[in-house]
């Protein structure tokens, strides 16, 4: 075969393949899922930024965040290394006793600084980090990184375990609202207890300060660890900063309220959702029921009994979730998780334990976090009364369907994991008999987005039936 | 010098330009034509798109005063978040409040439908230019990321909406 013929055949085949590929794409009719900007983040849960040296290079960035009412707001932020703008700034995770180094690079047109409430003996460029005065006036709570290129290095030894903030100490009313804040989480050394639970499902949020041993009242499952940083925005302030216009702080009025830099329903979108490229952190709490029985439950009459031995219980899940709340707002945010109280285990990085190791944790209806505070809570959903459609039915006569009103997320069955009949014309209401509980700010004016109701500080708790289940 | 007229060579295809060799190309072109025809056929109902490539249906905007802007699965794919922008506040005041003004969502691949939901705006106060949302229960993963859905409101439809 001569060369021209070979060339023609090759060209024909290539062209054919291209055309057939185009045909295939045209027929497929599917959207190609875009890869998440933030890589492979878990869909829910705390996203930690950590490294072996606990050294973080944080550079200021500017960008825009998306609000569910269609608005966008100009923001400032801190991003690690050369990463793009994000809001809020990353959750920095370190271990107790680590020497933490934070190099702040300022590209903004204003002096900025960082403070670390709760950390002792913070150094700035090797000297004690102290307030800065000019002519007798306080101008910053910490040494600054000068505008347009200044750098300052803060260093401290991570103190007692807990949840802390880092935030701007310079004109904080403006700079924190603009987005210069993030979470700092200090873990106890060896906080995952592999001795007592080789599965890695047992962790301690705190030590006992008196003994430095793991505090048994702060156990949690590290697979279900969440952090929610609460904030607010006055968009007029942000517009003024963006356009270099004067702003009268006495006219401050917040219009947006956020969990992890998002307003509902963006709050329940996955971590790293592709359509929120600069707001990587969701705040949906995802759980399985707490189940303390290592062996399969047995029914004795209508009582569910945990035996001393037997087959392993696949739903065994003895430790609660941990939810860390942080607030950089200007007023109290009375957060309320429906479905169960949160158990307050610490506030501002102080574990609630008595001088002799007494358990001072307590359940609370509202997690009413004040400005600048952090609260740590454990949270679980437990099948306390063991209702069961066969062995222990709920002793209520269900009214006729026509007399019932069905809630948005009701499965048709009150029993977790069951889907049941619904009125004609009403479809089954959820995926696999899971429960949904709203978790929101009880100051209802703060669950809005510049007047649009049912937005702002709302998220959800999703409780899936115990494993194995039929959930997709 | 004698002028000699040399007859022009008869135009002919080179030997390597054979019908047999081009057969795959011809077949592929036919397939492409079929694909184009399918595209035109399948996009009937809404051939318009907005500046982001999102489908538009002027009839829905004219009747209900809303323009759909976005659809995504949230809450570990348990909920479908459908956003719309109000383009006429007067017409949009009743949008979604009655069965006949509430949008259904249909998976274009399976034909399965997501029904009217209650999780959305609870009052009639809407403002022109603002964006609002409706949450649907994604029963049994009726919709998956990458699917195309149709929104149906009464006899009006908006087709080929991509789900994030």
């Amino acid at each position: 075969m001569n060369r021209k013929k070979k060339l023609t055949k090759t060209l024909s085949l290539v062209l054919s393949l291209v055309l057939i590929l185009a045909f295939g794409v045209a027929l497929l009719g599917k959207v190609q899922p875009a890869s998440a900007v933030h890589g492979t983040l878990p869909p829910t849960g705390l996203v930690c930024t950590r490294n072996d040296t606990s050294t973080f290079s944080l550079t200021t960035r500017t960008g825009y965040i998306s609000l569910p009412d269609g608005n966008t707001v100009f923001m400032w932020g801190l991003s690690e290394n050369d990463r793009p703008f994000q809001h809020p700034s990353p959750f920095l995770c370190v271990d107790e006793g680590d020497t933490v180094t934070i190099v702040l690079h300022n590209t903004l047109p204003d002096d900025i600084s960082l403070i670390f409430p709760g950390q002792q003996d913070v150094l700035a460029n090797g000297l004690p980090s102290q307030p800065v005065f000019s002519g007798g006036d306080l101008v910053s709570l910490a040494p600054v990184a000068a505008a347009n290129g200044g750098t300052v290095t803060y260093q401290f030894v991570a103190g007692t375990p807990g949840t802390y903030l880092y935030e701007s100490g310079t004109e904080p009313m403006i700079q924190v609202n603009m987005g210069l804040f993030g979470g700092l989480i200090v873990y106890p050394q060896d906080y995952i207890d592999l001795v007592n639970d080789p599965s890695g499902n047992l962790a301690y949020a705190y030590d006992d300060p008196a003994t430095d041993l793991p505090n048994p009242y702060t156990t949690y499952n590290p697979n279900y660890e969440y952090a929610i940083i609460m904030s607010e925005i006055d968009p007029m302030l942000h517009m003024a900063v963006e356009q270099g216009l004067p702003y009268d702080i006495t006219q401050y009025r917040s219009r947006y309220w956020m969990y992890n830099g998002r307003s509902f329903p963006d709050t329940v979108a996955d971590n790293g959702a592709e359509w929120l490229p600069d707001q990587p952190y969701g705040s949906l709490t995802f759980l399985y029921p707490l189940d303390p029985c290592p062996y399969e439950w047995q029914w004795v009459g209508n009582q569910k009994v945990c035996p001393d031995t037997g087959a392993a219980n696949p739903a065994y899940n003895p430790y609660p979730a941990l939810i860390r709340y942080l607030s950089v707002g200007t007023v109290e945010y009375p957060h309320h998780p429906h479905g169960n109280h949160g158990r307050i285990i610490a506030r501002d990085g102080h574990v609630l334990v008595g001088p002799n190791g007494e358990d001072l944790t307590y359940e609370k209806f509202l997690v009413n976090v004040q400005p600048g505070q952090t609260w740590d809570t454990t949270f679980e959903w437990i099948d306390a009364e063991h209702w069961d459609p066969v062995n222990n039915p709920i002793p209520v006569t269900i009214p006729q369907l026509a007399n019932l009103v069905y809630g948005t997320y009701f499965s048709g069955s009150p029993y977790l994991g069951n889907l049941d009949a619904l009125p004609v014309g009403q479809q089954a209401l959820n995926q696999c008999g899971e429960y949904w509980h709203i978790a929101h700010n009880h100051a209802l004016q703060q669950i809005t987005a510049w007047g649009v109701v049912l937005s702002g500080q709302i998220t959800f708790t999703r409780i899936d039936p115990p494993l194995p289940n039929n959930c997709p | 010098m004698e002028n000699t007229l040399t007859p022009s060579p008869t135009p002919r295809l080179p030997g390597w330009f054979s019908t047999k060799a081009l057969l795959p190309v011809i077949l592929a072109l036919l397939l492409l034509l079929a694909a184009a025809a399918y595209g035109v056929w399948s996009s009937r109902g809404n051939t318009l798109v907005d500046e982001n490539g999102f489908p538009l249906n002027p009839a829905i905007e004219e009747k209900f005063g809303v323009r759909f802007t976005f659809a995504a699965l949230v809450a570990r794919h348990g909920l479908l978040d459908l956003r719309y922008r109000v383009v006429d506040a007067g017409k949009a005041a009743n949008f979604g409040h009655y069965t006949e003004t509430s949008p259904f969502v249909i998976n274009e691949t399976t034909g399965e439908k997501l029904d009217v939901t209650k999780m959305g705006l609870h009052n009639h106060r809407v403002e022109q230019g603002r964006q609002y949302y409706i949450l649907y229960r994604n029963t049994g993963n009726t919709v998956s990321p990458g699917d195309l859905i149709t929104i149906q409101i009464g006899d009006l439809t908006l087709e080929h909406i991509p789900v994030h």
Side-chain angles (χ1 to χ4, degrees):
Chain A
M1 188 183 292
N2 66 38
R3 287 180 61 198
K4 282 183 178 174
K5 278 190 175 176
K6 272 188 180 175
L7 182 66
T8 306
K9 279 206 164 183
T10 307
L11 285 172
S12 298
L13 280 173
V14 170
L15 187 57
S16 304
L17 283 172
V18 169
L19 292 171
I20 287 168
L21 191 62
F23 175 75
V25 170
L27 282 184
L28 193 59
K30 281 274 191 180
V31 179
Q32 298 304 308
S35 58
V37 172
H38 295 274
T40 52
L41 299 182
T44 49
L46 168 66
V47 177
C48 263
T49 294
R50 69 157 65 226
N51 58 56
D52 292 340
T53 61
S54 293
T55 298
F56 305 95
S57 177
L58 298 181
T59 301
T60 55
R61 303 270 186 241
T62 61
Y64 294 86
I65 61 167
S66 167
L67 284 309
D69 65 344
N71 199 1
T72 55
V73 173
F74 177 73
M75 300 290 297
W76 292 352
L78 296 164
S79 297
E80 195 194 20
N81 300 323
D82 57 354
R83 294 182 67 82
F85 165 75
Q86 71 167 68
H87 177 70
S89 304
F91 285 99
L92 306 179
C93 298
V94 301
D95 292 333
E96 178 184 16
D98 283 359
T99 297
V100 180
T101 303
I102 294 173
V103 185
L104 174 64
H105 303 277
N106 181 14
T107 61
L108 298 171
D110 296 279
D111 292 351
I112 65 167
S113 65
L114 286 179
I115 56 173
F116 305 90
Q119 302 306 312
Q120 306 287 318
D121 302 323
V122 178
L123 300 177
N125 289 338
L127 298 172
S129 181
Q130 294 177 335
V132 179
F133 294 86
S134 175
D137 293 332
L138 175 67
V139 294
S140 178
L141 295 172
V144 301
N148 301 313
T151 294
V152 63
T153 299
Y154 301 100
Q155 198 167 58
F156 54 89
V157 176
T160 53
T163 306
Y164 303 95
L165 287 163
Y166 66 93
E167 56 189 330
S168 176
T170 308
E171 291 198 273
M173 185 65 199
I174 291 175
Q175 297 193 0
V176 173
N177 200 278
M178 287 300 297
L180 297 186
F181 64 84
L184 171 70
I185 296 171
V186 180
Y187 289 89
Q189 292 283 349
D190 302 321
Y191 73 104
I192 296 179
D193 185 348
L194 295 173
V195 174
N196 291 308
D197 191 334
S199 69
N201 292 334
L202 169 61
Y204 298 91
Y206 285 87
D207 291 333
D208 182 330
T211 63
D212 215 24
L213 295 172
N215 185 321
Y217 310 119
T218 67
T219 57
Y220 72 100
N221 186 331
N223 298 306
Y224 302 97
E225 179 177 354
Y226 301 88
I228 298 176
I229 193 162
M230 306 166 168
S231 63
E232 63 188 46
I233 284 174
D234 177 356
M236 305 312 287
L237 162 62
H238 291 239
M239 187 183 70
V241 170
E242 181 180 18
Q243 299 183 1
L245 299 173
Y247 176 78
D248 181 357
I249 198 71
T250 66
Q251 300 301 307
Y252 176 87
R253 185 172 181 186
S254 47
R255 302 287 191 171
Y256 295 105
W257 291 269
M258 334 280 286
Y259 285 158
N260 287 344
R262 299 179 181 178
S263 282
F264 184 79
D266 290 333
T267 51
V268 295
D270 286 353
N271 289 329
E274 60 182 300
W275 60 94
L276 297 164
D278 300 325
Q279 297 153 270
Y281 306 139
S283 54
L284 176 79
T285 303
F286 175 71
L287 301 172
Y288 292 104
L290 188 125
D291 187 336
C293 186
Y295 307 108
E296 284 194 348
W297 292 89
Q298 293 179 353
W299 286 101
V300 180
N302 65 350
Q303 298 294 312
K304 203 173 177 183
V305 176
C306 179
D308 295 331
T309 187
N313 175 9
Y316 181 55
N317 181 31
Y319 310 115
L322 175 66
I323 309 178
R324 305 172 184 270
Y325 297 95
L326 312 87
S327 172
V328 293
T330 60
V331 294
E332 172 189 286
Y333 299 137
H335 177 84
H336 175 54
H338 288 225
N340 200 0
H341 293 351
R343 173 169 287 277
I344 313 299
I345 63 168
R347 283 175 52 172
D348 299 327
H350 294 279
V351 65
L352 299 184
V353 61
N356 298 310
E358 301 94 331
D359 177 14
L360 300 183
T361 65
Y362 61 103
E363 287 195 329
K364 198 166 187 308
F365 180 83
L366 285 178
V367 185
N368 42 332
V369 188
Q370 304 292 332
Q373 287 188 338
T374 69
W375 292 43
D376 293 346
T377 72
T378 53
F379 186 83
E380 74 260 3
W381 186 90
I382 187 163
D383 184 11
E385 293 160 304
H386 301 303
W387 300 120
D388 182 88
V390 176
N391 298 297
N392 188 26
I394 298 170
V396 171
T397 302
I398 306 293
Q400 292 181 346
L401 287 180
N403 295 327
L404 290 175
V405 174
Y406 283 80
T408 304
Y409 303 103
F410 187 47
S411 68
S413 166
Y415 305 101
L416 182 66
N418 282 27
L419 293 166
D420 215 334
L422 288 165
V424 172
Q426 178 115 30
Q427 66 168 32
L429 294 184
N430 64 11
Q431 286 188 297
C432 50
E434 77 276 18
Y435 287 161
W436 296 84
H437 288 296
I438 195 170
H440 67 109
N441 185 336
H442 264 192
L444 300 185
Q445 79 277 11
Q446 293 168 345
I447 57 169
T448 61
W450 209 335
V452 176
V453 296
L454 277 180
S455 186
Q457 290 182 336
I458 299 176
T459 186
F460 270 80
T461 304
R462 173 177 173 158
I463 302 128
D464 272 13
L467 293 171
N469 62 31
N470 294 318
C471 293
Chain B
M1 186 176 175
E2 186 182 354
N3 284 331
T4 305
L5 291 173
T6 307
S8 306
T10 305
R12 63 188 289 264
L13 293 170
W16 50 268
F17 194 84
S18 69
T19 308
K20 188 178 174 185
L22 286 176
L23 195 58
V25 179
I26 293 165
L27 283 174
L29 279 171
L30 286 173
L31 281 170
L32 193 64
L33 279 173
Y38 172 82
V40 170
W41 170 79
S42 63
S43 65
R44 72 201 187 287
N46 50 272
T47 55
L48 296 174
V49 295
D50 68 10
E51 65 276 14
N52 298 315
F54 198 88
L56 295 175
N57 186 342
I60 289 179
E61 297 183 21
E62 175 61 27
K63 186 169 183 178
F64 297 106
V66 301
R67 175 181 297 179
F68 291 95
T69 57
F70 177 74
L73 286 166
V74 298
R76 295 180 78 107
H77 298 180
L79 303 173
L80 177 72
D81 177 357
L82 181 66
R83 305 277 175 100
Y84 59 93
R85 189 180 296 279
V86 169
V87 295
D88 185 321
K91 292 176 180 173
N94 288 328
F95 173 70
H97 288 283
Y98 309 103
T99 302
E100 59 269 27
T101 66
S102 295
F104 296 91
V105 169
I106 302 165
N107 184 325
E108 294 184 1
T109 304
T110 65
E112 289 182 287
K113 188 169 74 173
L114 293 178
D115 213 334
V116 182
T117 180
K118 295 171 186 164
M119 193 71 188
L121 195 61
H122 278 215
N123 61 34
H124 294 246
R125 294 191 297 274
V126 294
E127 296 174 43
Q128 190 146 329
R130 305 292 295 278
Q131 183 172 271
Y132 302 85
Y133 68 85
I134 304 169
L135 289 181
Y136 295 83
R137 302 139 319 222
N138 188 25
T139 306
N141 272 9
T142 298
V143 176
S144 301
D147 281 346
L148 295 178
I149 57 172
T150 291
I151 294 171
Q152 180 173 350
I153 321 170
D155 56 353
L156 295 176
T157 60
L158 181 64
E159 299 176 331
H160 313 321
I161 294 171
V163 177
H164 291 273

